[in-house]
Amino acid sequence: MPYKDGAALSSVYAAAREAGYGFFASNVTQLDILVGLLRGADRVGADAVFQVSRESAAFYGDGDPAVGLDAFGAYLERFAERTDVGVFCNVDHVRLPDQRDFLDTVVGTGVASSVMVDASDRPFEENVDLVSEAVERVRESERETLVEAELGRVAGTESGVETAAEDAFYTDPEQAVEFVERTGVDLLAISVGTQHGVASGVDLDVRPDVAQEVDDALREAGHDIPLVVHGASGLSDEQIASFLDAGVPKFNKNTRYQYEYARTAADFYHEHDDAVRPPEGAADDRGSMFSGAEWSPDKTYFHPHVVGGEVRDRLADVMADLAEVTGCAGESLYAER
């Protein structure tokens, strides 16, 4: 079914928190990744949240993020119509104050079910002021859109912005309550020791107990607000389960999908290298498509749709598995039962 607005997404998160399951909110950096993930979510009956950053929107729009965001939204909506699950779009990491214009674009297009605004690299008071202003701008939209913001610092690189490990810090529960009350955000991303990007060789001190303390503090203050963990690609299944128990229904995942895309394509072309590249000694005559050579490439393997299909199949399996890990498989609020 077509993707939904923030009110519907809020209901999905509320149901997940009540039942103790969650979602991997999936960043989409290439459209074959989107098709594969959506196919996998539909296969197992899981509602799905797809994310696009300004950088990815600019890629889709050949340098123009407004064009790219509009194109991504249209693509997502048409493909969502073919599914039997709820499909949502989150615009990820809109940096404040530098990307205020892009936030206006997000509001203007009506593409987003939610938007994550990020001033977490600023001091607390400036973070509060910038996010509060952003919330007001989003609330002016006719389309109901949830607002997510971040308190704390997550190490690693996200959307070209790097945070060194020594500059990362855990979210303080008391500050979290104050932040939510003063900004009016709908979701809160917290720092719990995860890292954006590849975490190989890094000894992550992941703290589900911090998430539990933040959730407890918010509930005691009367705020039933979903928590978000960024940098979830490196988490184990056991850590995911601990975060679910602590009230976290949304986990951002990006790097895993990028790797699966590259690995699937690399394995495919490595296996069929002799069908794509000429053998040693043969003229590399691409201009005439090897019309006068003894060797010629095999379109069975070099057509982009072939490797694209392999990527889609792989990502569908990945999403189906991840939905089982977070428990959202079979829990769609929209699938016919």
Side-chain angles (χ1 to χ4, degrees):
M1 61 176 49
Y3 72 87
K4 300 291 186 177
D5 64 9
L9 181 55
S10 182
S11 296
V12 166
Y13 287 139
R17 276 168 63 81
E18 182 177 353
Y21 61 88
F23 303 90
F24 281 111
S26 305
N27 282 71
V28 178
T29 54
Q30 204 274 347
L31 292 178
D32 282 329
I33 294 176
L34 171 62
V35 174
L37 294 176
L38 186 54
R39 186 190 298 171
D42 192 39
R43 181 200 303 171
V44 298
D47 294 327
V49 181
F50 297 105
Q51 305 193 144
V52 61
S53 65
R54 184 187 183 281
E55 289 70 26
S56 291
F59 176 79
Y60 295 138
D62 196 23
D64 189 328
V67 171
L69 182 60
D70 191 55
F72 178 81
Y75 198 86
L76 179 61
E77 182 169 18
R78 292 300 298 272
F79 270 80
E81 290 173 352
R82 302 168 54 194
T83 73
D84 193 34
V85 296
V87 178
F88 304 92
C89 176
N90 178 58
V91 177
D92 197 25
H93 282 286
V94 178
R95 304 283 176 182
L96 300 176
D98 299 341
Q99 295 180 5
R100 280 194 179 108
D101 289 345
F102 183 60
L103 179 60
D104 289 338
T105 298
V106 173
V107 173
T109 60
V111 166
S113 311
S114 62
V115 57
M116 190 267 172
V117 294
D118 189 1
S120 60
D121 61 332
R122 308 288 172 137
F124 179 77
E125 287 296 330
E126 189 176 359
N127 190 359
V128 168
D129 290 343
L130 289 170
V131 171
S132 297
E133 178 190 354
V135 169
E136 291 180 5
R137 293 158 82 95
V138 174
R139 296 283 189 264
E140 295 173 356
S141 172
E142 294 182 1
R143 176 182 172 88
E144 183 164 348
T145 305
L146 304 182
V147 181
E148 174 187 332
E150 184 170 332
L151 182 63
R153 297 292 300 280
V154 179
T157 302
E158 177 72 14
S159 300
V161 178
E162 182 174 0
T163 300
E166 59 268 21
D167 294 327
F169 59 87
Y170 298 105
T171 301
D172 178 80
E174 292 184 5
Q175 273 199 337
V177 173
E178 181 181 354
F179 186 82
V180 168
E181 291 179 344
R182 292 177 61 185
T183 62
V185 294
D186 303 292
L187 296 97
L188 182 65
I190 57 175
S191 179
V192 291
T194 54
Q195 174 173 313
H196 289 127
V198 179
S200 177
V202 179
D203 185 15
L204 300 179
D205 187 12
V206 178
R207 296 277 303 278
D209 60 298
V210 171
Q212 185 66 71
E213 290 171 3
V214 171
D215 189 62
D216 288 344
L218 287 168
R219 289 180 185 271
E220 288 174 6
H223 306 295
D224 187 7
I225 181 171
L227 301 180
V228 184
V229 168
H230 288 205
S233 286
L235 294 179
S236 68
D237 292 356
E238 293 75 18
Q239 288 170 327
I240 292 294
S242 295
F243 281 117
L244 290 171
D245 290 341
V248 178
K250 180 176 184 274
F251 302 84
N252 285 15
K253 188 178 285 288
N254 186 1
T255 304
R256 167 77 185 279
Y257 306 134
Q258 294 178 22
Y259 177 75
E260 292 288 358
Y261 177 92
R263 175 63 181 273
T264 301
D267 287 349
F268 178 84
Y269 286 125
H270 180 74
E271 181 180 354
H272 301 292
D273 180 72
D274 58 353
V276 179
R277 297 199 300 183
E280 186 176 353
D284 195 358
D285 186 13
R286 303 185 195 189
S288 68
M289 281 305 295
F290 308 92
S291 60
E294 294 183 1
W295 176 90
S296 62
D298 187 344
K299 195 172 183 178
T300 304
Y301 300 106
F302 73 72
H303 194 295
H305 291 178
V306 180
V307 71
E310 295 283 328
V311 169
R312 293 178 181 193
D313 289 345
R314 175 58 187 160
L315 268 297
D317 290 342
V318 168
M319 173 54 80
D321 289 344
L322 292 176
E324 296 291 346
V325 169
T326 58
C328 64
E331 297 291 346
S332 172
L333 300 188
Y334 302 95
E336 295 181 5
R337 304 202 180 186

